[in-house]
């Protein structure tokens, strides 16, 4: 049974329809991605789930609770990291954890969280003096201090440098490994592809597609592109007969094969058997980004 | 209850870590009392105050009202609006904490600061400026607490309406100065021209100042309950 169910959510601001018939469900223990550009309706949807906003119509159930009617019970099962949340600049790290742990009925030991999220050295530092990455880790610790069933992480890595982003990704996996379901809101394709078990692709206030990254990429088209110039001629039929090949494109001598992600191995083995050398072999994995563009009907940038 | 205690402790620490506010609340009344007691004639018996000196009657009440109204109408609403502007309230809104928790903590902290400021002022004035302490201490405490609650109540309203710290500052000052004027902080309310004096007596700070002045001078309850 899904831990989060969203059905037919609609939200209007005046003439502007922010959400139109948004539906998806999240299974317990997953990292579920809410992926889309800025303004696609991600944050509005999540704010409805958090109970910060009320949808015009539709139904939301989180752990069996309706956010609009049971906001008090709901907030103790949800751990939220907000895109635009903050703490007073003069509040110290340990004070924030101490305070927030006192707000929940069954809090975790915040001293252990301090250690676990690498904040022990910064326990007496003031919020205003923390780096971006340290603030994010503090927000994650605050989101977890109430021992939630679901953690909602909104644009967690926006504004972080590449190294800090990668570090944060492993933190997200650690949250799931604790058994907490994660709702991850992001506009980074690589982040969603790398972390999420399932993804809802948002586009202009609607859900364009839901599925695992592989499913989405599969739905959108071939997942690996292998290009080479064969040292001896080879027919299209022979190429099409290879395992995993879905399309053959010729450009002069150059052959480009589109297919599943294990394409390369099948091609090289088969060519070797025919004693054909693939000259100038190049392989490209077509990632979620391409799938996203196809699913949201956007012009390909190339 | 544990959460309220914790929230109040932390809000107290935060207020003390912002030294400008704490120093102003503690130092401003001492400064005002000292200046006024040095003014020529303020220590002399004054006919307008029934033969009492200005420093013994008018000034302590005015100083008290200035302190509590600056706290209530300026400091607290700006604090709350800054919290809203920065996202502190949003973060709190997604926790199980009721909004009352932060409001109650803010009210407690500011009330405590007002009490500390006025208590220190009274002690300082009695020890160093030879100003007699409140003649009716119980009455004074009651009048002070009522006036403080009133100022904090108006401040809570401002803090809940203002979307950011700039507008809270602007609204706070726009409310503070007329109210102080009508309360008779610059010139005693009974010396304001007729209509203004009637309006002044009916404003929260005007009524507060009247009760605070009367109880400081030692009037029994029967004499400071107007109407």
């Amino acid at each position: 049974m899904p831990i989060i169910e969203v059905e037919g959510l609609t939200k209007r601001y005046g003439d502007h329809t922010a959400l139109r018939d948004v539906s998806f469900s999240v299974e317990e223990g997953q990292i579920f991605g809410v992926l889309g550009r800025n303004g696609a309706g991600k944050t509005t949807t999540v704010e409805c789930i958090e109970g910060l906003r009320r949808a015009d119509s539709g139904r939301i159930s989180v752990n069996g609770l309706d956010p609009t009617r049971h906001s008090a019970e709901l907030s103790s099962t949800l751990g939220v990291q907000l895109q635009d949340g903050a703490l007073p600049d003069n509040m110290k790290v340990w004070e924030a954890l101490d305070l927030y742990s006192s707000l929940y009925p069954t809090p975790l030991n915040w001293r252990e969280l301090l250690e676990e999220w690498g904040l022990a050295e910064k326990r007496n530092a003031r919020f205003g003096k923390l780096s971006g990455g340290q603030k994010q880790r503090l927000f994650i610790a605050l989101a977890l201090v109430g021992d939630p069933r679901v953690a909602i992480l909104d644009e967690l890595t926006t504004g972080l440098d590449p190294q800090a982003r990668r570090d944060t990704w492993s933190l997200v996996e650690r949250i799931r490994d604790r058994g907490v379901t994660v709702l991850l809101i992001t506009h980074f394709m690589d982040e969603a592809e790398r972390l999420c078990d399932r993804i809802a692709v948002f586009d202009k206030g609607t859900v364009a597609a839901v599925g695992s990254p592989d499913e989405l990429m599969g739905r959108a088209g071939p997942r690996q592109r292998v290009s080479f110039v064969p040292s001896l001629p080879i027919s299209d039929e022979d190429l099409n007969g290879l395992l995993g090949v879905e399309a053959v494109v010729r450009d002069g001598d150059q052959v480009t094969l589109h297919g599943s992600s294990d394409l390369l191995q099948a091609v090289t083995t088969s060519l070797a058997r025919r004693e054909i050398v693939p000259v100038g072999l190049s392989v490209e994995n077509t990632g979620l980004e391409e799938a996203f563009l196809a699913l949201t009907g956007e012009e390909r940038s190339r | 209850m544990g959460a309220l205690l914790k929230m109040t402790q932390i809000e107290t620490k935060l207020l003390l870590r912002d030294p400008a506010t704490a120093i102003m609340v503690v130092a401003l009344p001492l400064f005002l009392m000292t200046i006024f007691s040095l003014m020529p004639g303020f220590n002399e018996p004054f006919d307008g105050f029934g033969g009492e000196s200005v420093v013994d009657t008018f000034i302590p009440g005015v100083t008290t009202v200035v302190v509590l109204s600056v706290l209530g109408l300026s400091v607290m609403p700006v604090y709350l609006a800054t919290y809203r502007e920065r996202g502190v309230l949003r973060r709190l809104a997604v926790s199980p904490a009721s909004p009352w928790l932060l409001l109650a903590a803010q009210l407690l902290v500011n009330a405590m600061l007002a009490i500390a400021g006025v208590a220190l002022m009274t002690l300082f004035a009695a020890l160093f400026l030879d100003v007699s302490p409140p003649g009716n201490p119980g009455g004074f405490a009651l009048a002070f607490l009522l006036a403080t609650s009133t100022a904090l109540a108006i401040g809570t309203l401002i803090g809940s309406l203002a979307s950011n710290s700039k507008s809270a500052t602007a609204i706070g000052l726009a409310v503070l100065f007329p109210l102080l004027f009508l309360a008779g902080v610059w010139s005693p309310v009974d010396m304001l021209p007729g209509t203004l004096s009637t309006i002044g007596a009916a404003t929260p700070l005007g009524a507060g100042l009247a009760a605070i002045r009367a109880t400081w001078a030692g009037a029994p309850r029967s004499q400071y309950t107007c109407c």
Side-chain angles (χ1 to χ4, degrees), chain A residues 47 75 84 86 90 95 98, chain B residues 6 13 17 86-87 90 96:
Chain A
E47 285 177 345
S75 56
D84 49 3
N90 280 331
E95 291 169 343
D98 185 27
Chain B
K6 197 141 273 174
K13 286 193 210 170
R17 276 177 205 160
R86 298 270 329 281
R90 277 177 67 80

Side-chain angles (χ1 to χ4, degrees), chain A residues 46-54 67-68 71 74 78, chain B residues 93-94:
Chain A
V46 170
E47 285 177 345
C48 290
I49 295 174
E50 291 161 352
L52 286 178
R53 230 174 258 288
R54 188 184 281 260
T68 55
S71 68
L74 181 70
L78 277 187
Chain B
V94 289

Side-chain angles (χ1 to χ4, degrees), chain A residues 238-251:
Chain A
D238 287 345
L239 288 170
N240 267 320
L242 295 179
L243 189 69
V245 172
E246 286 158 10
V248 180
V249 178
R250 283 180 189 270
D251 179 15

